[in-house]
Amino acid sequence: MGAGIALECRLRYPELYTRYQTLCQEKQISIGKLWIYKSTDRWILNFPTKNLWQLPSKPEYLKSGLFKFAQTYQQRGISSIAFPMLGADKGGLSASESQKIMLDYLDKLDLEIEIYQYDPYAEDDIYTDTKAWFFSQPIEYLSKTFRIRMAFLENLQRAFNNNKYCQLNQLAQVDGVGIKTLEKLFQASKQQPKQQSLIDL
C-alpha cells in the first residue's frame, strides 16, 4: 500500500493497513482472494490486482477477482460499490482494457456500481486538512516532536506550496518525504482541533 488509492486507504485507515499486513503474511490475500474491511463509516473491499507490487497487473488477475466478487457479493450483504479502474494506473493496464473486463463481469449484477478513473487533480479532503494543520505548526516544533529532519520538512513545505500536488498520496513522490513521515503528520493532524489556516487554500 505504497502508492495511489491504496496509500490513501493506508493513511485514512491505519488499522486496515496493520490487518492487511498480517493477512498478507498469512497468505490470506492473493489474486482471486478478496477481503472486506469494515470501518465505522464504510466498507473497503481489498481487491488484489498484482502478485508483487513491482510487477504489472494482468487481465487474468482482474477476471479472477471479479469472478469471486460476482459469486459472493450477495452473501456479503453488498448492495452498492464504487470501484477504481482495476489494474490501471499503477497496474499498467490501459483504462479501456480494465473497463472492458470490469463491465464483462459487473454489467449483469443486480447491484448499484460506480467505476472511477483516477484524476490526479481531484480534490482530496485529507490533503487540504493536513496542509492547513501543517502550516499552523512551527516547523521546529514538528521536527522535534515527530523526529523528522528539518530538511525533509522543508521539502514537504515546498511541496505543499507547489500546485503540482493536490492529494496526500502524491507527496510520497517528494524527495525526503517518505510514507512514514506522511503517516506521522496525518495522524497528528487528525488528533488536533481544526485551526484557521494562515494560508490561502
Side-chain angles (χ1 to χ4, degrees):
M1 289 190 171
I5 193 171
L7 178 54
E8 288 284 337
C9 287
R10 173 176 172 174
L11 293 170
R12 292 170 186 257
Y13 303 97
E15 62 283 358
L16 176 155
Y17 179 62
T18 301
R19 181 69 180 140
Y20 171 80
Q21 286 181 302
T22 302
L23 291 173
C24 285
Q25 290 164 1
E26 295 173 351
K27 311 290 187 193
Q28 295 299 307
I29 296 182
S30 59
I31 299 301
K33 285 188 176 181
L34 311 180
W35 168 53
I36 298 175
Y37 173 79
K38 298 179 180 180
S39 76
T40 54
D41 62 339
R42 70 191 64 206
W43 292 7
I44 300 167
L45 177 68
N46 289 262
F47 190 115
T49 60
K50 294 182 176 186
N51 276 319
L52 292 171
W53 68 267
Q54 305 99 318
L55 299 177
S57 300
K58 295 183 179 181
E60 55 265 34
Y61 296 168
L62 273 61
K63 294 174 183 178
S64 179
L66 288 164
F67 177 80
K68 179 70 171 181
F69 177 79
Q71 297 297 308
T72 59
Y73 77 93
Q74 289 179 316
Q75 69 190 58
R76 297 291 185 184
I78 299 172
S79 58
S80 65
I81 191 166
F83 280 104
M85 290 280 194
L86 296 170
D89 191 38
K90 305 300 180 192
L93 297 177
S94 69
S96 59
E97 183 175 20
S98 172
Q99 184 180 39
K100 182 182 183 311
I101 294 169
M102 293 178 73
L103 292 178
D104 284 346
Y105 283 85
L106 299 175
D107 245 358
K108 54 195 173 215
L109 303 184
D110 182 21
L111 186 66
E112 181 183 330
I113 300 170
E114 295 179 341
I115 299 175
Y116 289 86
Q117 186 167 4
Y118 176 63
D119 178 1
Y121 302 104
E123 184 178 343
D124 177 357
D125 59 330
I126 67 171
Y127 177 88
T128 303
D129 291 346
T130 305
K131 177 179 177 179
W133 174 83
F134 178 87
F135 281 108
S136 74
Q137 310 297 315
I139 196 168
E140 296 80 6
Y141 164 80
L142 295 174
S143 178
K144 182 176 179 181
T145 303
F146 301 105
R147 298 181 180 181
I148 301 170
R149 291 183 191 176
M150 285 289 291
F152 295 168
L153 290 170
E154 288 166 355
N155 284 351
L156 185 56
Q157 196 174 56
R158 283 190 287 273
F160 272 133
N161 283 320
N162 187 337
N163 291 334
K164 173 183 175 182
Y165 304 103
C166 55
Q167 298 167 13
L168 208 58
N169 75 82
Q170 294 168 345
L171 296 176
Q173 304 164 17
V174 176
D175 288 341
V177 180
I179 294 173
K180 293 293 184 185
T181 297
L182 292 179
E183 286 177 323
K184 285 180 185 178
L185 295 177
F186 174 60
Q187 290 305 316
S189 73
K190 281 175 47 179
Q191 293 164 10
Q192 297 293 324
K194 294 213 177 192
Q195 302 182 38
Q196 183 65 43
S197 173
L198 300 179
I199 61 169
D200 179 15
L201 298 177

